[in-house]
């Protein structure tokens, strides 16, 4: 029911966004004085940004509330993370974040849906990048460092997503996984709950170890094959 409701909202929202774009183009061609045109186009652009923001909120909601359909198979955890790093590297460069990766030399095999696991990891990486980027606003130099590290033993494999951000108070380390709890302005508060839900559907767990002022270590633990 919730997914159906969200889709019913998304369809007219897309139409509003398209019409805002067309209205922007029409205003640009009208014979108006520059001040009046700028004022009207600013209003249309504000509308378009709000439509885009609501679209992202709906997308996050559908990821969290929708039914997960796992298609697990045997994967090398190193390959999953390497592919995700290749994809995400340009975003780190744009944000001024140094991205690092460490993994064992031998394969780390797990039985997972690689697409959904990538989504969980990506949520953690985006969260870390945005937190560090927010902390670095108004300062010189790079925003911080984001490191992904894989380690394993005979029973489990772990992916660490480590950032050099502001860290998290111990009292907040569990509440951040609750829906609609966000540490950054404009966040939906659904990225971390969705990441944890995906991991738990795989029989794993997602936890965080953090020290205020020293950054955070989000750990995905999965059973070995």
């Amino acid at each position: 029911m919730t997914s159906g409701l969200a889709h019913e909202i998304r369809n007219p929202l897309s139409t509003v966004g398209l019409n805002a774009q067309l209205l922007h183009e029409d205003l640009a061609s009208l014979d108006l004085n520059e001040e009046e045109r700028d004022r009207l186009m600013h209003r249309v652009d504000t509308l378009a940004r709000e439509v885009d923001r609501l679209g992202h909120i709906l997308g996050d909601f559908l990821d969290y509330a929708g039914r997960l359909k796992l298609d697990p198979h045997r994967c090398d955890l190193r390959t999953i993370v390497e592919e995700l790093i290749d994809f995400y590297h340009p975003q780190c460069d744009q944000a001024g974040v140094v991205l690092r990766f460490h993994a064992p030399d031998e394969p780390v095999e797990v039985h997972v849906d690689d697409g959904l696991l990538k989504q969980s990891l990506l949520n953690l990486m985006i969260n870390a990048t945005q937190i560090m980027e927010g902390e670095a606003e108004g300062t010189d130099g790079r925003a911080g460092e984001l490191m992904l590290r894989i380690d394993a033993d005979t029973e489990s494999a772990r992916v660490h997503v480590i950032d050099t951000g502001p860290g998290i108070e111990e009292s907040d380390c569990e509440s951040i996984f609750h829906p609609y709890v966000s540490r950054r302005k404009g966040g939906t508060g659904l990225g971390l709950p969705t990441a944890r839900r995906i991991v738990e559907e795989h029989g794993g767990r997602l936890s965080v170890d953090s020290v205020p002022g020293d950054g955070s270590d989000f750990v995905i633990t999965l059973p070995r094959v």
Side-chain angles (χ1 to χ4, degrees):
M1 183 178 67
T2 54
S3 296
L5 178 61
H7 281 297
E8 287 299 316
I9 296 172
R10 173 177 279 177
N11 289 337
L13 196 62
S14 298
T15 302
V16 173
L18 176 59
N19 278 278
Q21 180 181 345
L22 294 174
L23 185 56
H24 180 100
E25 294 172 1
D26 288 343
L27 285 172
S29 62
L30 287 179
D31 185 17
L32 297 171
N33 67 67
E34 185 175 352
E35 183 178 349
E36 181 69 7
R37 181 187 294 110
D38 289 346
R39 182 180 67 84
L40 293 174
M41 291 180 69
H42 175 73
R43 288 185 177 181
V44 173
D45 289 343
T46 300
L47 173 63
R49 285 195 299 270
E50 286 302 299
V51 168
D52 187 58
R53 183 180 67 86
L54 290 173
H56 283 300
I57 292 174
L58 276 174
D60 288 345
F61 173 75
L62 286 172
D63 287 340
Y64 178 72
R67 184 171 59 185
L68 293 180
K69 297 180 181 179
L70 297 185
D71 181 22
H73 51 279
R74 185 186 292 261
C75 303
D76 185 350
L77 193 55
R78 301 176 307 167
T79 301
I80 293 174
V81 177
E82 286 170 355
E83 290 175 352
L84 189 56
I85 285 176
D86 286 342
F87 168 77
Y88 194 68
H89 221 300
Q91 191 160 339
C92 281
D93 291 340
Q94 185 178 25
V97 171
V98 177
L99 181 58
R100 305 187 189 280
F101 176 50
H102 297 282
D105 293 330
E106 64 278 2
V108 180
E109 293 190 329
V110 289
H111 195 246
V112 297
D113 183 313
D114 58 336
L116 284 173
L117 183 60
K118 284 179 181 178
Q119 180 183 341
S120 180
L121 279 165
L122 184 60
N123 284 353
L124 297 178
M125 295 166 71
I126 290 173
N127 185 71
T129 302
Q130 291 175 338
I131 288 292
M132 289 188 289
E133 196 174 11
E135 282 290 299
E137 288 181 1
T139 64
D140 296 329
R142 304 190 72 85
E145 293 189 10
L146 175 62
M147 183 173 76
L148 274 72
R149 188 180 81 235
I150 296 174
D151 60 53
D153 53 38
T154 56
E155 296 184 354
S156 61
R158 292 166 294 277
V159 184
H160 298 257
V161 181
I162 304 168
D163 67 67
T164 58
I168 307 165
E169 295 289 343
E170 184 177 357
S171 58
D172 295 330
C173 281
E174 185 58 34
S175 65
I176 60 172
F177 293 105
H178 296 170
Y180 303 111
V181 174
S182 179
R183 294 188 294 151
R184 61 182 180 83
K185 184 178 179 180
T188 62
L190 290 174
L192 291 178
T194 301
R196 173 175 272 189
R197 183 183 174 209
I198 290 171
V199 172
E200 290 178 347
E201 287 288 333
H202 283 89
R205 66 181 185 274
L206 171 59
S207 59
V208 61
D209 182 19
S210 185
V211 177
D214 288 340
S216 303
D217 179 6
F218 286 83
V219 187
I220 292 177
T221 303
L222 297 165
R224 292 290 299 270
V225 173

